[in-house]
Amino acid sequence: IPVDPFDLVIFGGTGDLARRKILPALFRRFCAGQMEEGTRIIGAARSQMDDVEYRAFVAEALLEFNSGHSGCEPGTIKRFQKTLSYVTLDARGEEGWDALAAKMHPGRVRAFYFSVGPSLFSDLAQRLHQYGMADHDARIVVEKPFGRDLATAQALNRSLAEHFDESQIYRIDHYLGKETVQNLMALRFGNMLFEPLWNSRYVDHIQITVAETVGVGGRGEYYDRAGAMRDMVQNHLMQLLCLIAMEPPAKFDPDAVRDEKLKVIRALGEVGRDDLVRGQYLADHEKPGYLEHVENPDSITESFIAMKLNVINWRWAGTPFYLRTGKRLSDRASEIAVVFKEAPHNIFTEDTGRHRNILTIRLQPNEGIDLDVTIKEPGPGGMRLVDVPLDMTFSEALGPDADDAADAYERLIMDVVRGNQTLFMRGDEVEAAWAWTDPIIASWEARGDKPIPYATGSFGPEDALALLHRSGRKWREIR
Ligand code: NAD
């Protein structure tokens, strides 16, 4: 459904995120016919450029990062370029701001995407106000990281709130824009089948894995100050956990959903020393290790973390949640596995195996959901049981277009334009997540804990396996 023409300003419009994600996402929505003629996309950054140069810059980014996507004719880039313009501007100076204000169309939805370092967020909000662009038609989109602890997140929330109402602030977490993540809500709250079983009586435990094969790459300086806990757990894994653990909201509206997520974060228990494993990747024969990457031989920042945590409420008491995420692991895969309990009694005496239903929600690769069910092993061999997956890979179940479905950034940017905050984090959610994270980090810092080295291409330190083994469980093999 096309949306009314809007003005979108990308602060940091020449940066890495703009080139790789934001501009290709906008282009694909343009190709899909969702942008009415007259929509204006304005790059704003420090580099000296004019409109013609920016259009060429964007075309190059599209060729590099949009290849392989069907639905976009070669000529479409030219039409898309007409929507683009550029303003040279300094978030901390006066240059360029009058020119930007002059480009705004009164009465239109106006979105400002803060794709710059977080130290500039407050400056941008203040300048938008100063130059008369922060009225009720304005929305701001704020990238991660949203603070590095509770105090900095609160300060940031306060400074944005000076000029913008909470209903105008879109804190983006692109995990929430993924098709499967939203499908998780459809699965839970659109079916009768799962919700009655979705509690500690029937669910043995839950695993959330976000595994990357890449190292810290060019982000070494930032990453070494953050680590996996701040970079991944406090935001992405926490959001996934919330969607799994939350109570059904009364309706699918932004505050109803976010109220329920907030309750989950507030119900999280402390994580003790024995329930936490931190790791750091080693060099292999080809690639440098973490310490070389961040150029800090004394670094004790973790590039891997695994933990057991508890959601202490009526629904989940007794069902642990296991989280793990890390870099330079053997596979790139993100998934949530809901592992159900075994049947209480085995009537098939010929079968001595252990069988469990496992609902797996795959975020990447091959977005989809599958459910392991136990059936009779085919053939004349008696009543032996075997677990087989009921597979629902979206691209197979929904046809070839499903793979082309809007990616997370496309969906989220259009949600901003439509004014739907359901898939964005509210200020109090972010603060609650930091309030849970801070003491965990503080206690390992106070103890001076060092991360355990692990081999590139492994699945993190052995101790992460023991986290489950000691209660007779094991991590699912990532397929
Ligand atoms: P980048 O360094 O590639 O780009 C920064 C942009 O900000 C450039 O366009 C630069 O011109 C502009 N800029 C810098 N100082 C400025 C100033 N004083 N006034 C105006 N513009 C200024 O950074 P990036 O990787 O694109 O990241 C942008 C934001 O997105 C950061 O907050 C980052 O943490 C976040 N983020 C990035 C990624 C990613 O994949 N790159 C992923 C998630 C979040």
Side-chain angles (χ1 to χ4, degrees):
I1 309 163
V3 293
D4 289 341
F6 57 90
D7 293 340
L8 172 69
V9 178
I10 310 172
F11 292 114
T14 59
D16 179 62
L17 185 69
R19 290 174 62 237
R20 284 195 307 116
K21 296 289 182 188
I22 304 170
L23 289 159
L26 287 164
F27 178 57
R28 289 201 290 272
R29 288 297 89 205
F30 181 82
C31 295
Q34 207 171 23
M35 284 185 204
E36 288 277 355
E37 210 164 300
T39 288
R40 291 284 163 261
I41 298 164
I42 303 150
R46 260 197 315 200
S47 325
Q48 297 288 337
M49 258 193 219
D50 60 22
D51 290 353
V52 176
E53 287 166 318
Y54 191 60
R55 287 173 184 159
F57 169 90
V58 174
E60 220 168 275
L62 295 178
L63 290 174
E64 189 174 349
F65 296 108
N66 197 51
S67 56
H69 254 275
S70 56
C72 298
E73 304 297 323
T76 321
I77 291 191
K78 280 218 151 42
R79 283 203 293 123
F80 181 65
Q81 281 177 314
K82 293 198 183 119
T83 68
L84 297 166
S85 62
Y86 184 80
V87 176
T88 302
L89 159 154
D90 189 338
R92 294 206 162 124
E94 309 308 321
E95 184 196 359
W97 286 94
D98 279 327
L100 182 65
K103 282 178 178 280
M104 298 292 109
H105 294 83
R108 272 193 186 185
V109 165
R110 195 179 292 159
F112 298 96
Y113 200 123
F114 290 12
S115 181
V116 295
S119 60
L120 297 178
F121 292 170
S122 303
D123 298 289
L124 289 177
Q126 198 277 325
R127 287 283 188 289
L128 285 172
H129 167 74
Q130 184 185 330
Y131 286 88
M133 287 177 271
D135 61 16
H136 61 272
D137 294 322
R139 286 150 205 190
I140 58 173
V141 185
V142 187
E143 264 295 340
K144 82 171 205 187
F146 198 90
R148 57 169 279 111
D149 53 23
L150 178 59
T152 49
Q154 283 172 327
L156 188 48
N157 273 334
R158 273 197 303 272
S159 78
L160 298 181
E162 278 178 34
H163 308 298
F164 295 94
D165 186 69
E166 180 62 32
S167 64
Q168 297 175 286
I169 304 173
Y170 291 72
R171 294 174 196 78
I172 204 163
D173 183 327
H174 69 275
Y175 274 58
L176 291 182
K178 285 182 182 287
E179 188 70 21
T180 355
V181 172
Q182 289 164 74
N183 237 308
L184 175 58
M185 286 189 272
L187 192 80
R188 283 195 61 191
F189 306 131
N191 291 283
M192 194 56 207
L193 196 58
F194 298 107
E195 203 48 30
L197 307 179
W198 210 260
N199 56 57
S200 61
R201 283 180 66 194
Y202 299 102
V203 178
D204 180 73
H205 71 279
I206 287 160
Q207 303 182 9
I208 303 179
T209 298
V210 177
E212 297 177 287
T213 50
V214 293
V216 296
R219 299 163 70 219
E221 202 188 315
Y222 153 75
Y223 194 93
D224 202 37
R225 278 181 282 116
M229 182 72 160
R230 289 190 170 96
D231 188 49
M232 296 297 290
V233 177
Q234 184 272 346
N235 39 52
H236 305 315
L237 278 82
M238 180 68 63
Q239 290 296 319
L240 299 179
L241 181 143
C242 283
L243 298 180
I244 288 279
M246 72 192 218
E247 295 301 316
K251 31 185 185 173
F252 192 58
D253 89 5
D255 279 328
V257 171
R258 296 184 299 177
D259 285 346
E260 295 306 334
K261 284 163 58 196
L262 180 62
K263 286 186 210 160
V264 173
I265 304 174
R266 290 189 173 151
L268 291 176
E270 290 171 18
V271 176
R273 184 181 196 167
D274 293 341
D275 290 332
L276 184 73
V277 177
R278 295 164 63 239
Q280 208 176 59
Y281 61 83
L282 292 165
D284 67 5
H285 53 282
E286 280 175 5
K287 295 181 190 142
Y290 181 83
L291 296 177
E292 293 92 75
H293 256 150
V294 299
E295 296 174 11
N296 175 7
D298 302 320
S299 173
I300 53 169
T301 302
E302 76 286 354
S303 61
F304 173 94
I305 191 162
M307 64 175 81
K308 173 184 170 191
L309 57 93
N310 297 301
V311 179
I312 306 174
N313 62 17
W314 193 285
R315 185 188 284 259
W316 293 115
T319 295
F321 286 68
Y322 296 96
L323 270 48
R324 63 176 168 169
T325 180
K327 296 196 173 290
R328 279 288 184 80
L329 302 180
S330 62
D331 292 288
R332 174 172 177 263
S334 303
E335 67 164 50
I336 303 167
V338 180
V339 182
F340 289 89
K341 293 186 173 173
E342 284 174 61
H345 167 62
N346 178 14
I347 63 166
F348 307 107
T349 45
E350 281 175 66
D351 187 88
T352 51
R354 298 181 69 184
H355 301 282
R356 284 176 162 167
N357 299 121
I358 302 178
L359 180 74
T360 310
I361 298 126
R362 287 189 310 273
L363 277 62
Q364 63 187 24
N366 303 329
E367 278 198 70
I369 294 175
D370 59 36
L371 175 65
D372 286 359
V373 290
T374 305
I375 59 165
K376 178 189 165 298
E377 202 174 77
M383 233 8 201
R384 267 197 274 285
L385 305 183
V386 61
D387 297 332
V388 294
L390 285 178
D391 187 348
M392 201 179 92
T393 302
F394 291 157
S395 54
E396 285 166 16
L398 305 177
D401 282 351
D403 242 2
D404 260 341
D407 97 337
Y409 276 91
E410 293 177 67
R411 173 173 297 111
L412 293 173
I413 293 171
M414 295 322 283
D415 276 357
V416 174
V417 174
R418 282 187 288 249
N420 185 346
Q421 288 186 306
T422 310
L423 300 175
F424 295 83
M425 293 176 292
R426 210 167 53 190
D428 51 0
E429 255 185 277
V430 178
E431 289 185 14
W434 281 121
W436 172 80
T437 310
D438 280 0
I440 302 172
I441 296 178
S443 53
W444 84 52
E445 284 179 350
R447 292 192 299 264
D449 288 355
K450 295 193 171 63
I452 305 166
Y454 62 91
T456 287
S458 68
F459 238 93
E462 292 275 308
D463 296 45
L465 307 179
L467 205 57
L468 276 80
H469 282 175
R470 60 174 187 252
S471 55
R473 302 178 171 113
K474 62 177 185 356
W475 288 108
R476 261 176 55 77
E477 226 169 87
I478 301 290
R479 285 177 272 199

